[in-house]
Amino acid sequence: MRRGRDEWVNLSAIRPSDIILMMEPTPELIEALRREEIEDARRLSVERKLALGGELFDYACTITLAGIRMQNSGVTEEKAYEILRQRLALGRRLEQMRAEMGV
Amino acid sequence: MTSNEIVFRVIEELERHGVPYMLVGSYSSNAFGIARSTQDADFVIEAGDRSLAPVFQALSPIIKFDPQMQLESVTMTLRFIGQVPVTGFKIELFLTSNDPHDQERFRRRKRYPFLTGHAFLPSPEDVLLQKMRWYVRAKRAKDLDDVQNVLAVQAGKLDLPYIRQWADRHGTRELFERLLTAVQGLQ
């Protein structure tokens, strides 16, 4: 692995803690990702974005239900949806708690 | 039935019963900002003296509405709450209040395409103003994120004098200028 112009690094000498340091996002990277996110949003029409919130919610429910079924083998559909509703209600309470804590 | 199809059914029934409305909250901030998942759809409706019972009745196979009106403590407005029994997706119908900005944003609402029909939305400026009011009162981080996202995506297209005039009246001007400066640094 080449680090600089003439400096070579022995890959086997890299420790997990080094990788974590290398993956620390720089302010430049964060800003570049934010710009990209904004540009992507500008390219989408109002009509498309108006529908996205509901689509993302439905998709999140599908993934959460899959997780609930994996964690609770043999769970009925009715029970799986009941757990889903409990999780969504928990999410609302957590949001309220964060608002009250000012975070 | 998808969450969007449920929202669309609400719009169809409001229109069929002659109830003027606009879709606010995260649906409107998604439309003008950066979309995020939302587990509720908020409407502002101008019910006047009409009973909403026929609307609730028509929607009863998919949404269970509490016929009892509730006071929303952040904006001190009255609302009806409905819930989709399967997923818990919420529909909230806020009644228009006497608040001058509430009246103005309703007057300025515009029609946009939605699924196979359309939906009325407040202007991006009014979305910002209302979200800032919510943030100042309720301190929900997502409201601040929504404001920053709408500001960033709509940069250069917003009617800033209109926003400043109302932000002065709402006591959110300082917050607005701070967020605007931060977002301008990204352009």
Side-chain angles (χ1 to χ4, degrees):
Chain A
M1 180 182 174
R2 199 168 181 172
R3 189 190 268 168
R5 238 178 113 83
D6 298 308
E7 191 183 359
W8 291 84
V9 175
N10 177 4
L11 280 175
S12 62
I14 295 176
R15 296 159 301 173
S17 57
D18 292 332
I19 294 171
I20 290 165
L21 279 176
M22 284 160 67
M23 289 175 68
E24 188 72 31
T26 61
E28 292 78 16
L29 176 63
I30 294 168
E31 199 176 304
L33 291 172
R34 175 72 173 145
R35 280 179 209 274
E36 200 177 302
E37 185 181 42
I38 293 164
E39 284 309 315
D40 286 346
R42 283 183 183 148
R43 276 190 285 271
L44 291 175
S45 66
V46 168
E47 181 183 5
R48 182 70 198 103
K49 286 194 289 177
L50 189 53
L52 264 176
E55 288 175 14
L56 288 170
F57 173 73
D58 293 342
Y59 181 63
C61 286
T62 306
I63 301 290
T64 308
L65 280 167
I68 290 168
R69 289 187 197 106
M70 267 179 66
Q71 276 191 319
N72 305 273
S73 60
V75 71
T76 62
E77 278 303 276
E78 195 181 339
K79 184 66 185 169
Y81 273 95
E82 188 189 321
I83 298 171
L84 171 70
R85 286 192 295 274
Q86 285 168 358
R87 288 198 186 173
L88 291 170
L90 175 66
R92 286 196 182 103
R93 288 201 300 277
L94 285 170
E95 188 181 295
Q96 180 65 32
M97 189 189 77
R98 282 194 295 269
E100 283 164 10
M101 290 169 68
V103 291
Chain B
M1 200 172 204
T2 67
S3 299
N4 282 336
E5 285 166 348
I6 288 163
V7 173
F8 192 70
R9 282 286 295 120
V10 176
I11 291 171
E12 279 183 329
E13 287 306 326
L14 289 173
E15 294 195 339
R16 198 162 69 87
H17 289 88
V19 181
Y21 73 92
M22 62 179 176
L23 193 47
V24 296
S26 49
Y27 265 82
S28 62
S29 56
N30 276 353
F32 299 118
I34 297 171
R36 61 171 170 84
S37 168
T38 180
Q39 49 181 305
D40 47 35
D42 301 331
F43 289 83
V44 170
I45 60 167
E46 208 169 58
D49 294 332
R50 287 182 207 87
S51 162
L52 291 173
V55 176
F56 297 158
Q57 179 60 36
L59 293 169
S60 63
I62 50 167
I63 306 166
K64 300 293 169 222
F65 272 98
D66 182 347
Q68 191 72 40
M69 219 187 299
Q70 295 184 19
L71 180 69
E72 199 288 303
S73 58
V74 174
T75 51
M76 300 306 280
T77 47
L78 295 168
R79 64 176 170 174
F80 288 99
I81 302 176
Q83 200 153 32
V84 179
V86 186
T87 58
F89 189 83
K90 275 168 73 178
I91 301 287
E92 297 193 30
L93 305 178
F94 292 83
L95 303 186
T96 44
S97 68
N98 289 329
D99 176 82
H101 178 247
D102 209 23
Q103 304 256 327
E104 181 64 4
R105 69 179 177 138
F106 201 84
R107 195 186 62 76
R108 287 161 46 95
R109 74 202 164 109
K110 280 189 180 161
R111 209 160 82 147
Y112 291 90
F114 179 52
L115 301 189
T116 55
H118 61 261
F120 280 95
L121 298 179
S123 72
E125 289 84 358
D126 290 318
V127 171
L128 285 172
L129 286 162
Q130 194 64 12
K131 283 273 175 187
M132 284 194 292
R133 285 180 105 180
W134 269 89
Y135 175 69
V136 166
R137 292 179 195 178
K139 296 285 178 222
R140 295 185 312 188
K142 66 178 184 181
D143 289 323
L144 194 61
D145 289 343
D146 289 340
V147 173
Q148 286 176 313
N149 289 340
V150 174
L151 264 176
V153 173
Q154 300 295 323
K157 296 182 197 162
L158 294 165
D159 182 349
L160 296 180
Y162 175 84
I163 297 175
R164 287 184 170 123
Q165 172 212 322
W166 282 105
D168 277 336
R169 291 172 71 170
H170 295 162
T172 55
R173 175 72 183 268
E174 195 194 324
L175 172 67
F176 173 69
E177 298 299 343
R178 208 154 25 95
L179 294 173
L180 184 64
T181 305
V183 165
Q184 280 169 340
L186 270 174
Q187 307 305 316

